[in-house]
Amino acid sequence: MKNINYKGYYFIAPFFIVFLIFNVYPVFLTFYYTFTQYEGYGKPTFIGLDNYARIITDTYFLEAFMNTWKIWGFNFILQLGIALLLAALFSDLRFRIKGLGFFRAVFYLPNLITVSSVALLFGIMLDWQYGSINQLLLNIGIISEPIHWLNQPFTAQLSVSLILTWMWFGFTFIVIMAGVSGISKDYYEAALMDGANSRQTFTKITMPLLKPILLYVLITSLIGGLQLFELPMLMSKNGLGEPEGSLNTMVLYLYNQAFRYNNYGYAATIAYALFLITVIFSAVTFKSMYRDAKVMKNRGE
Amino acid sequence: MKKFFIVCISITLMSVFAAGCSSDSESSSGKDVLKIWSFTDELEKYGAVEKFEEEHGIEVELTIVPIADYPTKLRPALESGVGAPDVFTGEVAFIKQWTERDYWENLSAEPYNVDEWEDDYVPYVFDLGKDPEGNVKALSWQTTPGGIFYRRSIANEVLGTDDPEQVGEMFSTWEGLFEAGEKLKQAGYRLFADEGAIRWFARGVDSQPWVNENDELIMTDAKVSYFEQAKILRENDYTAFAPEWSPSWFASMDGPIAYNGGWEDVNEESKDKTEVFAYPLPTWGLHSVLKENAEATVGDWGLATGPNPYFWGGTWLGVYKDSKKKDLAFEFVKMMTHDEEFLTNWANETGDVLSFLPVTDKIQDTVSEDFLSGQNNYKFFLEQAKAIDANAVTKYDQEIDTLLGTHVQEYVDGKKSKEEAVQDFYKAVKNAYPNIKTP
Amino acid sequence: MKTQNVLKTENQMIHTPKKVKNSKNKTIKIIIYVLLIVLTIISVIPFYMMIINATRSNKEIILGFSFIPGSSLIDNYKTMIEYVNIWVGFRNSLFVSVCVTLLSGYFSALTAFGFAVYQFKGKNILFLFMLIMMMVPGQLGLIGFYELNKFLGTLDTYIPLIIPAIASPFVVFFLRQYLSSTLHPSLLEAARMDGAGELRIFHTVALPIMMPAVATMSIFTFIGSWNNYLVPLVMLFSPDKFTLPVLMGFLKGSQVAENLGSLYLGIAISVVPIMIAFLFFSKYIINNISAGSIKE
């Protein structure tokens, strides 16, 4: 039979042609722009490393970086906490909690809605004057004065964090639940026979065996979190990350520098800084989790 | 389940493609299409587009993009030529940047020769449409000086008069304005809707551009005192917390609104409600803001001068330089800006104050605006227009104004000291435009 | 679905021997259900408020909140449709997402097949290269991508939104893993004996085998494309071409925002059909998320 292996090229050709044009080339083109000053009009001017010099001293970028972390970090802890608690409750054989299918679906619902719709919805619901959330809280009597949710840095960041939690805890719960159901039931039966209580079962069996899933949740959430954009963009007054720049995230800063102020060169530099940060943090997370998992495994044996 | 899934997908697909086809056939009705982009709906609202379609037997496709997105959406279209309009409008905030660049056709050249029209216009309006070399790139039909619109009934009750002259006298100094604010507050009213209302006075008081020819940011005394004036309004409770363009702002024009979040008692006599007395607005504010939102208060309005003249906004329009239908496009521009009959009707119908002198000369003495209880807003605004200086407009205005507003707000909210707010403002300008030298 | 059944049977088997602790367990159980109901309310109430407010007039909304619908639904709709046609956004989003899902599914399967079946020079390097580029976030090339499309004259078209879906490294990666464990070389040999061409083999033998995996990935691709905001925001500038997410942002700055009831209605229209679709597909979608996360 004649050699047909060369035909593999035909199969992968469409992918690589599109990949090179629309994916690889823009990434390198963007890299070139990091060395230029470019207003998106006329020709880019080569300015060497000026953009890099600017970004390491740029307090706005630092602020955006910190904001991104604060907003994502608080949301992640809360989201993971809720998801783990729910997973623990649903996997506990003692309580026979019914309706897993229903609750999974309801909790997941917010995640399915277009983020910009969510942003717009909460943007008006959090308005301090005529927003339904203040109106509701006042009616119930939880607060006595309307809260300027989106006009104070702390409450604005808190709001975005809570919205993220609201959007993602269901997803995280489903993923963790999938991990839990992948754990052999023998472990739980044995634990039950040995008289282990819920907490022991959870910390000694569920958590260690969930390590890979938790790593997956952490890394994907981290990468998504570092790219936080829609909510701050649509919930701050002029899309500049108000109040007081507390909603200015890295991608929002990139967008404004590029498409509002037309500093394409600098925006390209921000993109690369963002990439570097993502790589570093993913690597660190991966490594530390992996090492922990290894230690755990060795101990187990 | 699987079957259901497949059925769903095929229905979706079919509807998508069917919809896609039908929309294609709509636009191909055989007629020539003139594409126009604008940031307001005024062109179609008052029949201009319709009239043009009838006269020339063509179809006009008007695309309206909200002003916040307008430059970011239009700019790429103009630069790449993809989906670009034949005619597009520009607000005063973008006009400098756009005339400098190669977006609009040079109308001073053959066959347009609009330089000949120069004497027909209010000078500043014609000047703003020129590029740095003095070539006309865009024209405008309107002039947009501002005043203060106020409620006559409240003025009578609190200030003892509703006469525009006398009210204008009271408003001619900041002290007088604040004094009136105090009286109004005592009577349960609020002077302005929010602090941002006064920002245009700061811009108008001495006609300095934001950025001069040496790329230096110019912070005039008036702009610095804007911080103070806004703070006074807030601290003395002269405003109703209804930010411009917000739903409560619009609602406040037609009656009492909830004040300071006091919605706990929704009953009619609640003290948590207040009425706004006055709105600093320019010419177009009358027909596109007040008239649109006021029903119960029609005829209860007056128009007076503020502490100093100012202008706000303005729509210019020109022909896209790579348009394939330049003749037709220019016809449209001509109709909007240099057609005596059309503009006379336009002025009568909209109350818009024109910059086209042949018409304004004809009608300015006879205007009597019912909405303003018979006051002649035309004469008033044309008088104000004389104080406007086109040199104060720069390509940075839109973004720098936004940044200034944000930082004044932070000072007013008590988050920053004035010094901090001013310094942060400089920093933010520098960050957006590294080439600008800040004080 | 599977998970649930397993849990249920396990529960029933094990629960019987422990009757002593029943009363204590019961109170805990009540607490748990209360917690679950609270979370359910939190998940749903913003949507409820949205729908209620969509039926109320601007004035009513400004003056206070109510749990009872108002009577201004039709007025709100008229005001909204005057400025923004949400349905066009819906159609555009649907068109883009369906195209993206189809292209991504088909071409990823094709590429995965090429990688899994043939031995050619540079195969491993190409695969590795693809994996490395997979790590690169979308924003990195955004500026270059924009300039590229400006150069190609494809700004304000769906091409930059749809065509890049042909190259979806993640889907290729997933499908290749799937294929290497499910596609037996003997199947291919048998087909070749029958004289089928390679492309035919792909269509008649490999593609049907890959279908479950393609379907799993399609869910993610579709949701991802449907929710994509940044790229269409930058690439599209004619309002009649906007996808739903961009149109939502557009709504914020438009005159619709002057009327809260209409604004709520606009948001509701963008949300409710998705909720209805989810009613039908929720089990399928959730099982796919579960499956996807474990296999990775």
Side-chain angles (χ1 to χ4, degrees):
Chain A
M1 189 177 245
K2 61 180 179 180
N3 185 13
I4 43 133
N5 275 330
Y6 71 94
K7 288 196 174 172
Y9 290 118
Y10 298 151
F11 281 93
I12 65 166
F15 176 96
F16 276 96
I17 291 168
V18 172
F19 195 55
L20 286 175
I21 296 173
F22 285 102
N23 215 323
V24 179
Y25 174 71
V27 166
F28 284 102
L29 187 62
T30 309
F31 189 59
Y32 162 70
Y33 286 137
T34 65
F35 301 105
T36 66
Q37 187 185 16
Y38 182 40
E39 287 188 21
Y41 184 80
K43 285 231 154 59
T45 339
F46 191 79
I47 53 164
L49 293 173
D50 284 8
N51 283 328
Y52 290 94
R54 181 176 166 194
I55 201 164
I56 50 175
T57 54
D58 186 349
T59 52
Y60 288 96
F61 183 73
L62 184 69
E63 184 187 65
F65 174 74
M66 295 309 292
N67 288 339
T68 313
W69 270 104
K70 276 187 221 160
I71 295 168
W72 174 79
F74 179 71
N75 135 72
F76 185 73
I77 292 167
L78 199 61
Q79 177 198 115
L80 192 69
I82 296 173
L84 280 174
L85 177 69
L86 288 173
L89 296 178
F90 274 105
S91 63
D92 199 308
L93 301 180
R94 255 169 290 243
F95 301 126
R96 279 210 304 176
I97 302 297
K98 291 204 185 85
L100 175 65
F102 170 77
F103 287 116
R104 273 198 316 190
V106 172
F107 297 160
Y108 178 66
L109 186 62
N111 190 249
L112 201 68
I113 307 300
T114 312
V115 191
S116 47
S117 293
V118 170
L120 205 55
L121 180 61
F122 279 97
I124 49 174
M125 289 210 307
L126 284 170
D127 186 281
W128 71 278
Q129 229 172 353
Y130 46 79
S132 300
I133 290 180
N134 266 350
Q135 292 175 345
L136 192 69
L137 293 177
L138 279 167
N139 273 347
I140 304 175
I142 295 179
I143 54 174
S144 58
E145 287 234 312
I147 298 173
H148 287 52
W149 293 103
L150 298 177
N151 196 27
Q152 305 169 86
F154 175 71
T155 48
Q157 288 181 344
L158 184 71
S159 304
V160 174
S161 254
L162 290 175
I163 295 168
L164 279 176
T165 309
W166 179 76
M167 286 179 67
W168 286 97
F169 83 92
F171 176 83
T172 308
F173 167 55
I174 291 171
V175 170
I176 288 177
M177 208 53 216
V180 170
S181 61
I183 297 170
S184 165
K185 293 291 167 287
D186 298 349
Y187 290 112
Y188 292 106
E189 279 168 35
L192 206 59
M193 295 302 168
D194 291 348
N197 64 27
S198 309
R199 205 186 52 215
Q200 285 168 330
T201 320
F202 190 70
T203 52
K204 294 277 152 61
I205 298 176
T206 314
M207 283 298 274
L209 289 170
L210 272 183
K211 266 268 147 80
I213 286 278
L214 291 180
L215 181 65
Y216 167 78
V217 169
L218 178 61
I219 298 262
T220 49
S221 174
L222 177 76
I223 292 174
L226 289 173
Q227 295 174 9
L228 187 62
F229 170 68
E230 286 100 330
L231 287 174
M233 161 94 182
L234 291 170
M235 291 179 67
S236 58
K237 201 171 157 210
N238 296 307
L240 287 171
E242 300 98 329
E244 289 164 67
S246 63
L247 293 186
N248 190 19
T249 61
M250 287 185 282
V251 178
L252 181 59
Y253 190 50
L254 186 167
Y255 176 84
N256 280 327
Q257 282 291 344
F259 300 103
R260 184 188 282 257
Y261 302 131
N262 304 330
N263 299 325
Y264 287 85
Y266 189 55
T269 317
I270 297 171
Y272 269 85
L274 177 65
F275 176 52
L276 198 67
I277 289 167
T278 313
V279 169
I280 290 172
F281 280 98
S282 303
V284 168
T285 319
F286 197 79
K287 211 158 181 197
S288 61
M289 289 285 280
Y290 188 67
R291 199 186 50 222
D292 282 1
K294 242 186 182 167
V295 170
M296 204 71 79
K297 213 175 165 191
N298 291 341
R299 228 189 269 152
E301 280 162 10
Chain B
M1 183 70 194
K2 205 175 168 188
K3 245 186 189 165
F4 177 67
F5 201 66
I6 291 168
V7 168
C8 274
I9 286 186
S10 34
I11 289 174
T12 322
L13 272 177
M14 270 153 60
S15 62
V16 164
F17 288 107
C21 294
S22 70
S23 81
D24 284 344
S25 58
E26 263 172 30
S27 54
S28 57
S29 58
K31 287 180 184 170
D32 248 358
V33 177
L34 185 73
K35 286 175 83 176
I36 303 176
W37 274 44
S38 188
F39 53 89
T40 67
D41 56 356
E42 58 189 343
L43 293 178
E44 68 179 355
K45 231 175 188 168
Y46 305 109
V49 161
E50 229 168 273
K51 180 172 183 278
F52 192 74
E53 280 179 336
E54 274 167 29
E55 272 178 16
H56 295 265
I58 54 128
E59 198 179 315
V60 173
E61 196 185 297
L62 179 65
T63 303
I64 298 164
V65 179
I67 193 148
D69 298 324
Y70 193 59
T72 40
K73 291 289 159 207
L74 185 58
R75 209 176 54 85
L78 299 176
E79 281 171 15
S80 63
V82 180
D86 301 302
V87 175
F88 63 97
T89 63
E91 217 251 6
V92 68
F94 328 121
I95 187 128
K96 274 293 145 192
Q97 192 173 19
W98 293 357
T99 49
E100 260 177 43
R101 289 184 178 175
D102 201 11
Y103 293 165
W104 272 311
E105 179 83 351
N106 178 4
L107 298 180
S108 297
E110 294 282 349
Y112 316 107
N113 301 321
V114 297
D115 284 349
E116 294 165 9
W117 300 353
E118 178 145 15
D119 292 340
D120 293 340
Y121 293 94
V122 172
Y124 95 89
V125 176
F126 198 75
D127 287 346
L128 271 177
K130 289 178 183 167
D131 69 5
E133 283 79 49
N135 296 316
V136 176
K137 295 283 190 74
L139 293 163
S140 175
W141 67 89
Q142 56 182 190
T143 173
T144 57
I148 298 180
F149 290 90
Y150 63 91
R151 292 275 300 278
R152 284 177 188 265
S153 57
I154 301 175
N156 263 332
E157 179 194 331
V158 180
L159 305 176
T161 172
D162 72 344
D163 178 45
E165 292 287 328
Q166 290 184 37
V167 173
E169 189 63 34
M170 288 176 207
F171 284 180
S172 62
T173 61
W174 286 100
E175 291 74 35
L177 207 58
F178 294 140
E179 204 178 300
E182 186 61 34
K183 282 186 200 158
L184 286 159
K185 188 176 81 176
Q186 300 303 335
Y189 300 106
R190 292 292 176 277
L191 175 62
F192 292 135
D194 86 326
E195 298 84 24
I198 59 169
R199 67 186 184 283
W200 298 103
F201 294 115
R203 287 291 307 280
V205 74
D206 50 7
S207 46
Q208 294 266 10
W210 261 125
V211 178
N212 68 12
E213 63 273 18
N214 302 324
D215 280 347
E216 289 163 339
L217 185 77
I218 303 187
M219 194 70 181
T220 59
D221 292 344
K223 285 166 192 156
V224 178
S225 28
Y226 168 35
F227 280 81
E228 278 320 317
Q229 289 148 359
K231 188 83 169 175
I232 292 172
L233 285 178
R234 166 66 64 88
E235 286 192 331
N236 294 308
D237 208 7
Y238 295 157
T239 58
F241 293 96
E244 232 161 59
W245 312 116
S246 74
S248 44
W249 189 64
F250 291 108
S252 70
M253 291 164 191
D254 202 32
I257 55 159
Y259 163 71
N260 207 1
W263 45 71
E264 272 167 295
D265 320 78
V266 189
N267 66 56
E268 291 305 306
E269 300 304 315
S270 168
K271 273 192 179 154
D272 294 321
K273 285 185 173 185
T274 189
E275 277 189 81
V276 176
F277 173 62
Y279 301 84
L281 283 171
T283 49
W284 48 264
L286 176 64
H287 57 272
S288 63
V289 178
L290 288 174
K291 281 185 183 174
E292 295 279 308
N293 291 284
E295 275 173 34
T297 57
V298 172
D300 188 33
W301 294 85
L303 173 60
T305 47
N308 57 267
Y310 72 97
F311 81 109
W312 175 1
T315 307
W316 278 257
L317 76 172
V319 177
Y320 177 50
K321 65 143 199 307
D322 289 334
S323 164
K324 297 210 166 55
K325 300 174 186 121
K326 284 182 187 164
D327 292 342
L328 197 59
F330 182 66
E331 281 303 314
F332 185 79
V333 173
K334 198 174 160 187
M335 179 189 85
M336 283 306 299
T337 58
H338 206 262
D339 180 325
E340 201 170 322
E341 191 195 328
F342 172 80
L343 286 171
T344 310
N345 283 336
W346 176 275
N348 287 335
E349 228 166 274
T350 65
D352 207 356
V353 180
L354 299 179
S355 58
F356 186 58
L357 300 174
V359 176
T360 55
D361 288 344
K362 201 167 62 189
I363 62 172
Q364 63 168 312
D365 292 321
T366 57
V367 172
S368 166
E369 176 60 60
D370 290 340
F371 189 86
L372 301 175
S373 182
Q375 194 179 343
N376 183 343
N377 58 315
Y378 235 84
K379 254 202 139 94
F380 175 91
F381 281 127
L382 285 174
E383 193 58 38
Q384 298 290 311
K386 289 178 185 157
I388 297 174
D389 180 0
N391 292 323
V393 178
T394 70
K395 61 180 174 184
Y396 302 106
D397 289 4
Q398 167 90 346
E399 300 304 340
I400 295 185
D401 279 339
T402 305
L403 291 173
L404 180 74
T406 314
H407 288 86
V408 169
Q409 198 61 41
E410 285 173 11
Y411 169 61
V412 168
D413 287 343
K415 292 172 186 163
K416 284 179 182 163
S417 73
K418 187 172 150 193
E419 191 52 32
E420 278 167 356
V422 172
Q423 290 307 323
D424 284 355
F425 165 65
Y426 291 157
K427 215 179 121 190
V429 171
K430 185 106 194 120
N431 179 55
Y433 302 106
N435 58 316
I436 294 180
K437 298 185 223 28
T438 52
Chain C
M1 239 190 302
K2 213 166 134 197
T3 333
Q4 220 178 332
N5 292 340
V6 171
L7 268 182
K8 257 187 201 155
T9 45
E10 296 281 343
N11 284 346
Q12 277 153 4
M13 268 166 28
I14 294 158
H15 193 254
T16 27
K18 303 255 170 189
K19 277 213 161 133
V20 204
K21 278 187 172 176
N22 249 3
S23 65
K24 193 190 161 199
N25 277 358
K26 237 179 199 154
T27 38
I28 298 178
K29 243 173 117 168
I30 291 170
I31 295 172
I32 293 172
Y33 276 115
V34 168
L35 177 82
L36 289 175
I37 289 165
V38 168
L39 278 176
T40 304
I41 291 173
I42 291 174
S43 298
V44 174
I45 201 160
F47 298 121
Y48 181 74
M49 286 173 160
M50 166 189 82
I51 291 167
I52 293 296
N53 281 339
T55 66
R56 303 168 75 220
S57 73
N58 190 37
K59 264 214 157 129
E60 285 168 338
I61 296 170
I62 288 178
L63 287 176
F65 179 71
S66 152
F67 282 100
I68 309 144
S71 55
S72 307
L73 182 65
I74 293 164
D75 288 341
N76 288 342
Y77 183 77
K78 278 183 190 151
T79 314
M80 184 201 72
I81 213 76
E82 199 181 320
Y83 297 107
V84 177
N85 192 341
I86 300 270
W87 304 110
V88 170
F90 235 97
R91 192 192 73 196
N92 295 340
S93 265
L94 210 55
F95 178 73
V96 171
S97 301
V98 167
C99 288
V100 163
T101 310
L102 292 178
L103 283 184
S104 151
Y106 180 77
F107 282 98
S108 299
L110 201 68
T111 316
F113 183 76
F115 273 124
V117 169
Y118 305 97
Q119 300 303 323
F120 49 85
K121 230 169 137 189
K123 176 173 132 169
N124 291 331
I125 289 175
L126 283 174
F127 195 69
L128 191 70
F129 174 65
M130 187 190 84
L131 286 187
I132 292 171
M133 290 302 290
M134 199 170 97
M135 310 292 172
V136 174
Q139 285 85 7
L140 186 59
L142 185 68
I143 312 279
F145 189 60
Y146 174 78
E147 290 297 321
L148 170 73
N149 282 290
K150 198 158 112 185
F151 173 75
L152 293 176
T154 47
L155 286 177
D156 204 32
T157 66
Y158 294 137
I159 289 174
L161 306 184
I162 293 174
I163 298 300
I166 290 174
S168 318
F170 190 79
V171 185
V172 172
F173 176 69
F174 185 84
L175 293 181
R176 194 207 162 171
Q177 301 301 97
Y178 185 84
L179 209 54
S180 55
S181 64
T182 52
L183 185 70
H184 236 266
S186 57
L187 277 173
L188 298 175
E189 288 309 317
R192 277 178 195 141
M193 289 298 177
D194 292 345
E198 296 300 311
L199 200 61
R200 178 112 190 264
I201 294 177
F202 166 73
H203 284 126
T204 52
V205 180
L207 200 56
I209 292 178
M210 275 190 273
M211 259 344 248
V214 171
T216 300
M217 280 292 119
S218 292
I219 293 273
F220 293 115
T221 312
F222 188 89
I223 295 177
S225 168
W226 182 266
N227 287 336
N228 191 1
Y229 179 62
L230 188 57
V231 178
L233 176 69
V234 172
M235 295 298 153
L236 301 176
F237 26 84
S238 307
D240 57 341
K241 289 183 186 152
F242 284 175
T243 59
L244 201 58
V246 182
L247 206 63
M248 285 293 114
F250 194 66
L251 211 56
K252 185 193 172 199
S254 77
Q255 270 150 306
V256 177
E258 292 168 13
N259 185 323
L260 285 170
S262 305
L263 189 57
Y264 273 111
L265 181 65
I267 302 169
I269 292 178
S270 81
V271 166
V272 171
I274 305 298
M275 289 168 83
I276 293 170
F278 185 63
L279 271 183
F280 291 106
F281 296 124
S282 67
K283 267 191 182 151
Y284 186 73
I285 293 173
I286 287 170
N287 288 338
N288 269 322
I289 295 171
S290 308
S293 61
I294 293 177
K295 281 193 187 118
E296 282 146 23

